[in-house]
Amino acid sequence: MATHTFEIDETFDIPRSKVFALFADHHSFGKLLGAPVKRIKDSNQADPNGLGSVRRLGIGPIGLEETITCFEPDLLIEYTVTSFSPIRNHLGRIRFEDTPEGHTRVRYRISFDDVVPFTGKLVSAALEQAIRRGIRQVPKFA
């Protein structure tokens, strides 16, 4: 198994709380990615999209489930794939910070191991492209 990692670092002239809300809400996160996303399990915390919530991405058997493993409002979201998938040890980490200029910096990092040899590069490239395209949509949805 090979480990694959990529990081996207973007800055927006939008308040951090608004940017965080776009990524935290499962429905708006799906809009950013251009994929159907549905929360299938609510968090036990105040925010139903928070720690322990589960979202389903995709349609039917092509979809997968992700569970939120860390949720710090306006600071950090971490999640992992918790359904059957062609990748293992997946960790998505989205950090939100203020810049000295008063903008919002988003650092989105994903790492995973491939299960089927030599498929990880393809999965990583497709995933990174989809997330980069989605992140460019943040100003449109904020």
Side-chain angles (χ1 to χ4, degrees):
M1 278 193 292
T3 299
H4 301 274
T5 302
F6 65 86
E7 185 167 323
I8 300 168
D9 193 334
E10 291 287 337
T11 302
F12 303 99
D13 187 14
I14 302 167
R16 184 167 31 137
S17 61
K18 288 185 92 173
V19 176
F20 180 87
L22 285 173
F23 285 86
D25 179 78
H26 298 324
H27 182 70
S28 65
F29 182 69
K31 284 184 177 181
L32 281 176
L33 295 180
V37 176
K38 180 181 180 181
R39 186 177 61 243
I40 59 173
K41 179 183 176 196
D42 290 352
S43 169
N44 290 331
Q45 297 183 330
D47 187 325
N49 297 297
L51 182 67
S53 68
V54 179
R55 61 186 175 212
R56 179 152 180 80
L57 285 80
I59 301 170
I62 299 170
L64 56 86
E65 294 177 8
E66 296 176 337
T67 300
I68 304 300
T69 58
C70 185
F71 189 85
E72 298 176 26
D74 297 340
L75 296 174
L76 176 68
I77 300 169
E78 289 183 349
Y79 63 93
T80 188
V81 173
T82 50
S83 63
F84 179 77
S85 110
I87 60 176
R88 295 285 182 263
N89 303 319
H90 173 278
L91 177 62
R93 171 179 281 163
I94 313 168
R95 289 191 174 279
F96 305 84
E97 350 177 301
D98 293 329
T99 67
E101 300 80 26
H103 299 118
T104 300
R105 180 180 186 193
V106 177
R107 291 188 299 161
Y108 196 141
R109 182 177 196 270
I110 290 183
S111 64
F112 64 88
D113 297 331
D114 57 11
V115 175
V116 179
F118 310 111
T119 61
K121 285 185 181 181
L122 179 63
V123 171
S124 182
L127 196 53
E128 182 175 2
Q129 181 182 20
I131 292 171
R132 281 189 187 280
R133 186 175 40 244
I135 285 180
R136 286 188 214 116
Q137 300 297 312
V138 165
K140 175 182 170 183
F141 291 104

